[in-house]
Amino acid sequence: MSIKNPVKVLTVPAFSDNYLWLVNDGVHAVVVDPGDAAPILAALDQHHLSLAAILLTHHHADHVGGVPALLERFDVPVFGPAKEAIPAITRRLAEGDQVTIPELDLEFAVLDVPGHTAGHIAYYAARQDWLFCGDTLFAGGCGRLFEGTPAQMADSLGKLAALPDRTQVYCAHEYTLSNLRFAQAVDETNAALKQRVLTETAKRARDEPTVPSTIGVEKATNPFLRYRDPAIIDKLASEGKISSREPIAAFAALREWKNSFR
Ligand code: ZN
Ligand code: FE
């Protein structure tokens, strides 16, 4: 039996605010949502890694744009959502499926998380406590509803919130500070949120990523997981954003308000 190095997650920034995740053991690597090939190829070269697989969460260009160029250099399986038309996919996945990466001794459970797009999936590595959730759950926020309903997104986020608090949330964008500005406007008395704003602002001032966060932190501070909280519903009501206190109405109003919040 060979002794394996621990598997780690390398952060590869791309475009203006995307994170591409390179899961690796120092020899082999799996990339999640390679919107751009160039920074991934550079990171693979720099760290002497060989690509073993590509994992995709949804069809948007900033998540899949680098796939053709990566496949020119590496003949690897491409895992992605069964319900989305992404031509490069070789293994179509839906909730209940398991992804095994033998080179890295890694396993991911697949979760259906529609809302941002209709077929969006997330990858959960239970042994490592890692969640790769694309544009569904963000640090302090959630993805825009391009192809789904508020009820679908609320249900998807509920699935992710049910994972253990220690789960590391690897989302695909650095939107945290702007998300937290909105969070503070709708959740003014939340002490954990105030503390988080200080912590995350300091990280950005040092040019450090705020991602990953954890499910525990998100449950305490993310308004899109806290939309049933009476204080948030009171705020929505006092601003005239809702006509009932029904939870999905509150969630929909929050998402709508965030779209125009500056
Ligand atoms: Zn997207
Ligand atoms: Fe995106």
Side-chain angles (χ1 to χ4, degrees), residues 224-238:
F224 295 96
L225 300 181
R226 290 174 40 74
Y227 57 95
R228 294 166 187 272
D229 190 276
I232 293 182
I233 296 185
D234 286 347
K235 178 68 179 178
L236 288 167
S238 75

Side-chain angles (χ1 to χ4, degrees), residues 104-251:
L104 285 161
D105 197 17
L106 253 183
E107 270 181 39
F108 297 96
V110 176
L111 298 168
D112 281 329
V113 287
H116 177 67
T117 62
H120 200 305
I121 60 172
Y123 298 89
Y124 173 55
R127 249 189 299 146
Q128 286 81 11
D129 292 314
W130 293 337
L131 172 69
F132 297 93
C133 55
D135 290 353
T136 299
L137 175 62
F138 286 133
C142 76
R144 281 180 188 257
L145 302 180
F146 288 117
E147 300 173 10
T149 65
Q152 277 178 323
M153 184 57 122
D155 184 58
S156 295
L157 293 174
K159 267 184 214 176
L160 303 183
L163 297 173
D165 281 358
R166 62 179 180 274
T167 306
Q168 311 250 302
V169 179
Y170 289 91
C171 60
H173 290 272
E174 179 64 61
Y175 290 158
T176 313
L177 293 189
S178 94
N179 285 338
L180 292 180
R181 267 196 304 113
F182 175 72
Q184 282 202 297
V186 301
D187 198 4
E188 292 159 318
T189 57
N190 184 336
L193 175 57
K194 284 199 181 85
Q195 188 51 52
R196 185 177 188 188
V197 169
L198 298 176
T199 309
E200 310 292 30
T201 303
K203 281 186 202 160
R204 295 308 293 146
R206 296 191 299 263
D207 209 25
E208 290 170 15
T210 61
V211 184
S213 68
T214 66
I215 289 293
V217 166
E218 295 309 323
K219 285 196 320 203
T221 58
N222 187 325
F224 295 96
L225 300 181
R226 290 174 40 74
Y227 57 95
R228 294 166 187 272
D229 190 276
I232 293 182
I233 296 185
D234 286 347
K235 178 68 179 178
L236 288 167
S238 75
E239 294 284 329
K241 306 281 187 189
I242 46 173
S243 50
S244 91
R245 298 180 65 90
E246 191 269 318
I248 297 303
F251 183 90

Side-chain angles (χ1 to χ4, degrees), residues 4 10 13 21 24 26 41 52 56 58 72 103 106 136 139 142 146 149 187 191 197-198 215-216 254:
K4 296 214 170 210
L10 187 69
W21 303 113
N24 75 91
L41 290 170
L56 305 175
H58 68 293
E72 273 175 32
E103 292 89 339
L106 253 183
T136 299
C142 76
F146 288 117
T149 65
D187 198 4
V197 169
L198 298 176
I215 289 293
L254 277 177

